């Protein structure tokens, strides 16, 4: 079942790329034109001084490539597919059933629709990726002491680097440890 989910993610990611390219290719050019990425250390240093600034900087960095044909839809499809994969693995480990892993594509479809909204920000897609990887890593730490330390440090780091998604991770960590 592990390989079935991986193949499903690859197939769904390819279909997502085709869909985004056929239906929303204009949107990626628009998003690139409405963002400004300054390539300099001062801009990066200033981004790190604000909560969520690193992912805002990374988002602007990736958006600058949206001007290249097929780049916007491929970057978006790859990020959403990786997010769905890690989220599916997390759901599979929590539920104990490999079938439930396929439900990870439900929030990814919603995230895709949010991404295609003209006034949305690409940083939300990256924040969802950061949170899904953080929860997946958390479930693979067997020692409860190290896991609690990891959850505490990473909760603060996610708030600082990724913004408000760190609160979602911290809430999930609290519920996971209580249950």
């Amino acid at each position: 079942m592990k390989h079935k989910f991986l193949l499903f993610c690859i197939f769904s990611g390819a279909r997502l790329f085709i869909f985004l390219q056929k239906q929303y290719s204009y949107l990626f050019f628009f998003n690139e034109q409405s963002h400004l990425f300054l390539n300099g250390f001062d801009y990066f240093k200033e981004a790190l001084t604000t909560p969520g600034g690193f992912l805002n900087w990374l988002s602007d960095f990736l958006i600058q490539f949206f001007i290249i044909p097929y780049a916007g839809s491929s970057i978006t499809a790859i990020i959403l597919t990786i997010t769905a994969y890690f989220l599916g693995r997390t759901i599979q480990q929590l539920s104990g059933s490999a079938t439930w892993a396929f439900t990870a594509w439900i929030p990814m479809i919603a995230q895709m629709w949010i991404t295609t909204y003209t006034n949305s920000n690409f940083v939300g897609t990256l924040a969802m990726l950061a949170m899904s990887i953080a929860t997946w890593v958390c479930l693979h730490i067997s020692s409860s002491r190290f896991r609690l330390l990891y959850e505490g440090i990473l909760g603060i780091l996610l708030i600082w680097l990724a913004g408000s998604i760190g609160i979602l991770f911290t809430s999930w960590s609290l519920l996971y440890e209580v249950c």
Side-chain angles (χ1 to χ4, degrees):
M1 192 58 120
K2 183 177 183 180
H3 298 295
K4 287 182 183 179
F5 181 66
L6 179 62
L7 289 174
F8 179 77
C9 284
I10 292 170
F11 176 73
S12 297
R15 292 289 301 156
L16 181 62
F17 166 74
I18 292 168
F19 174 75
L20 288 173
Q21 186 59 38
K22 284 189 176 235
Q23 298 296 323
Y24 294 101
S25 61
Y26 67 92
L27 185 66
F28 297 112
F29 294 116
F30 172 77
N31 283 342
E32 193 277 331
Q33 293 297 314
S34 64
H35 282 81
L36 174 66
F37 178 72
L38 300 174
N39 190 11
F41 183 71
D42 291 335
Y43 180 66
F44 178 71
K45 189 171 66 173
E46 182 180 331
L48 287 180
T49 60
T50 61
F54 176 72
L55 277 189
N56 279 325
W57 178 86
L58 185 61
S59 171
D60 289 342
F61 174 76
L62 290 175
I63 287 174
Q64 75 176 337
F65 297 109
F66 285 7
I67 196 71
I68 303 169
Y70 303 106
S73 53
S74 63
I75 290 170
T76 304
I78 288 169
I79 289 174
L80 289 175
T81 302
I82 292 171
T83 305
Y85 179 78
F86 282 110
L87 196 59
R89 289 287 164 228
T90 302
I91 292 170
Q92 178 184 0
Q93 191 165 358
L94 288 174
S95 68
S97 172
T99 307
W100 280 101
F102 293 96
T103 61
W105 276 94
I106 295 171
M108 288 309 98
I109 291 170
Q111 186 68 37
M112 187 263 313
W113 288 117
I114 291 170
T115 303
T116 58
Y117 180 61
T118 309
N119 294 327
S120 72
N121 200 344
F122 193 68
V123 71
T125 306
L126 294 174
M128 191 75 171
L129 174 64
M131 206 245 1
S132 65
I133 291 173
T135 55
W136 179 77
V137 170
C138 181
L139 290 177
H140 284 82
I141 299 174
S142 58
S143 171
S144 61
R145 287 183 182 175
F146 288 124
R147 190 175 57 244
L148 285 172
L149 181 66
Y150 170 80
E151 290 167 347
I153 292 172
L154 195 65
I156 293 168
L157 276 176
L158 275 178
I159 290 173
W160 190 257
L161 297 175
S164 59
I165 200 78
I167 296 172
L168 180 63
F169 173 76
T170 306
S171 302
W172 176 84
S173 299
L174 178 67
L175 288 174
Y176 177 71
E177 293 301 331
V178 167
C179 292

